[in-house]
Each structure stands twice: as structure tokens, then as C-alpha cells.
Amino acid sequence: MHLPVPRPPRQPAPLNAATYSRLTAELASVVAAARRRALRDGDRQIDTAHLLHSLMEEDAGARAVFDGTGQAARVLGYLVQRSIGYGLRWQGSVEDSGAIAVLRDVEAAGWSPSASAALEIALERAARRGDARATGLDLLAAIAADRDCRAVDVLRRAGVDTGRLDVRIAELSQQASRP
């Protein structure tokens, strides 16, 4: 009798060292957590909902966007539901909102096109500001700007006004940049 040889699950590829060097320590931790979450969920790609979930858990700046409104708890509630069933309709499919067609610096292997685009936009936001490293707020703003991605679907279901979210992110970014 021959037993099948177990195969390790296909897993999202880690970012290359050059890309990691362009992230703050907090954002690098978020990316690593999103990769672990995707692997644990059995997903082949990191998507924007994985990134949002990890931002909410790992990045105080991202959570501060929702402070005092009860929205953080609702968003986390939907993200947990996604992990245990709500996101099953996404399982096995590639997230591609079509918002960004060309990726330059962030490799796409193991990342949904929407998640890759969000990270690329976060890096560009940091560069425009003159910062060498992108932050969690940069990534949250990039995710929120893609109105058709999975993370924005979660935010909407949790009652978050993504237009207002952009304003709050801008306010917190300005506060963080003041001396």
C-alpha cells in the first residue's frame, strides 16, 4: 500500500529584502503577520483583507484611525468572521479589483494584484513625503483608495465611511509629521 506523500501547502512568498528595507518596523511586522494569516487560512495569496486584519492587530497608528468610534471592534469582528467563514466565497480566487494595472517595485508572487498595488502605493506615498520607509497609515490609505478591494468590502460591511477614513488618515499623518 502506497500512502500519498504529503506536500507542504503552497504559501505566499515573502517580500524581498529590498522591499522590506523600505518599510517601518511596524509595517514589516504587519506584512509578516499577513503572510502567516494567509498561510493559516490556506490562501495562496496575501490579499488586502489579510493586510487590513494585520494592520488592525499590529499597528497602533492604523487602529488610531478608528479610535473612539467603536468601528475598530466592528472591523475586527468582520475580519475574524472572514477567517472563519465569511471569506469562504473568496477562497481559491484571486483578488484583483483592477484598480492598478502596472506594478513596479513590489513583486507579485504570492500577493493578490490588489495587495501588491496597495503596498506599491504605500511606498510611493512615503517617497512623496520624503520618507525612506512606508508606514501602516500609508498602507491603510492605499487600501482604502481601492474601492473595489476585499478590505474595503469588509470596511463597508463594518459601517466605515471610507471617504471619511481618507480624511482621518490625512489628519493623523499630518500630526505624525509635526515636530
Side-chain angles (χ1 to χ4, degrees):
M1 174 200 257
H2 291 295
L3 296 175
V5 176
R7 294 184 181 172
R10 291 187 61 185
Q11 51 186 300
L15 291 175
N16 64 39
T19 302
Y20 265 116
S21 72
R22 296 175 60 199
L23 309 177
T24 61
E26 294 83 6
L27 187 52
S29 178
V30 164
V31 169
R35 183 173 181 263
R36 287 190 304 273
R37 181 172 310 288
L39 179 60
R40 187 175 53 242
D41 290 350
D43 296 329
R44 291 182 177 181
Q45 292 186 325
I46 297 167
D47 68 20
T48 57
H50 294 124
L51 291 170
L52 178 62
H53 200 154
S54 296
L55 274 169
M56 296 298 291
E57 288 182 341
E58 305 277 334
D59 191 280
R63 280 191 310 276
V65 171
F66 303 97
D67 272 356
T69 63
Q71 288 181 336
R74 286 193 303 276
V75 170
L76 278 169
Y78 270 96
L79 289 163
V80 168
Q81 288 179 26
R82 178 207 194 255
S83 296
I84 61 173
Y86 161 72
L88 287 178
R89 63 191 168 99
W90 293 329
Q91 202 165 35
S93 65
V94 174
E95 175 191 35
D96 185 6
S97 65
I100 306 293
V102 179
L103 304 176
R104 290 178 297 279
D105 293 337
V106 178
E107 66 280 354
W111 286 66
S112 75
S114 296
S116 292
L119 190 55
E120 177 69 33
I121 292 167
L123 293 169
E124 290 172 1
R125 278 176 53 96
R128 278 194 310 270
R129 220 180 26 253
D131 288 341
R133 297 175 190 260
T135 67
L137 284 178
D138 292 321
L139 182 58
L140 183 58
I143 288 170
D146 184 350
R147 305 292 186 218
D148 296 318
C149 73
R150 292 176 181 173
V152 169
D153 182 42
V154 169
L155 290 170
R156 282 189 198 120
R157 288 175 185 267
V160 174
D161 176 353
T162 55
R164 177 70 185 130
L165 188 67
D166 293 343
V167 172
R168 181 74 175 133
I169 291 168
E171 290 170 355
L172 288 174
S173 294
Q174 286 177 353
Q175 289 174 6
S177 66
R178 290 184 192 143

